[in-house]
Amino acid sequence: MYGGGNIFETVKTSELESEDPIKLAAFEARIARGEKIEPGDWMPALYRRQLIRMIEQHAHSEIIGALPEGTWITRAPGFRRKLALMAKVQDEVGHAQLLTVRQKRSGKRGSR
């Protein structure tokens, strides 16, 4: 219903069956109306887990996107180009940081 997660992990629909049917129906209605779902709002456990997984993947993508550009900073021909590359790397890493904060607000337990 909410995606497959890891390709080696089967979706356990029994988790949805254990959810409160009234809250689940209200949640589905909010999504159907196009309303925003905030981190503190009630959501099914499976939905929250998939949301956290997608945020993790997006943050990882931002970091990986910054790595190749970071290696070129020392090789850039001029100071202005070095500054431009540093700004781009800083921007990508900043996106990853914001996504990580959002992930923690959504319920992921961090290493701290």
Side-chain angles (χ1 to χ4, degrees):
M1 180 175 206
Y2 295 117
N6 188 329
I7 58 172
F8 302 110
E9 176 185 337
T10 58
V11 176
K12 298 174 186 128
T13 55
S14 61
E15 292 180 31
L16 284 175
E17 294 168 3
S18 66
E19 298 286 356
D20 182 6
I22 296 169
K23 286 182 178 179
L24 186 60
F27 178 77
E28 295 286 343
R30 285 185 68 190
I31 290 178
R33 289 190 303 268
E35 292 182 24
K36 284 186 177 179
I37 306 296
E38 297 294 332
D41 294 345
W42 183 90
M43 62 184 76
L46 182 58
Y47 183 91
R48 185 176 299 274
R49 190 171 71 221
Q50 293 294 24
L51 176 67
I52 290 169
R53 183 185 63 82
M54 287 189 300
I55 294 171
E56 284 175 342
Q57 287 178 336
H58 190 172
H60 184 258
S61 171
E62 295 285 349
I63 294 291
I64 295 303
L67 291 177
E69 291 153 356
T71 60
W72 283 97
I73 293 172
T74 57
R75 300 176 190 145
F79 185 66
R80 287 183 187 266
R81 290 192 183 173
K82 286 182 193 302
L83 285 176
L85 279 171
M86 285 191 294
K88 190 165 185 184
V89 168
Q90 183 179 9
D91 190 51
E92 296 297 321
V93 172
H95 293 158
Q97 182 182 17
L98 290 173
L99 287 164
T100 303
V101 168
R102 175 57 69 184
Q103 166 194 336
K104 288 181 180 177
R105 285 184 186 163
S106 296
K108 176 76 176 188
R109 301 289 186 253
S111 58
R112 291 183 183 183

